[in-house]
Amino acid sequence: MTYDITGDESGTVTDTLSFVGTSVTAHRSVLSTPSSKTKVSVKIVSVSCT
């Protein structure tokens, strides 16, 4: 699954989750926001099955 995170100062961050059986692999995303009031959101971009 690929997803976009918005709210980071430098722009949209794109990352992925991988599912194998019942195991999930995710990378930790670190964001820098211009303000503590900045809204951060995640949008699923694509899901693929192999």
Side-chain angles (χ1 to χ4, degrees):
M1 176 173 74
T2 302
Y3 57 93
D4 286 342
I5 305 169
T6 57
D8 186 68
E9 282 185 308
S10 62
T12 301
V13 175
T14 301
D15 215 335
T16 59
L17 287 174
S18 299
F19 301 89
V20 178
T22 58
S23 180
V24 177
T25 302
H27 300 280
R28 186 178 195 154
S29 297
V30 178
L31 304 177
S32 178
T33 60
S35 161
S36 61
K37 295 180 182 186
T38 301
K39 291 185 180 183
V40 174
S41 62
V42 175
K43 178 182 177 183
I44 296 172
V45 176
S46 67
V47 177
S48 62
C49 298
T50 55

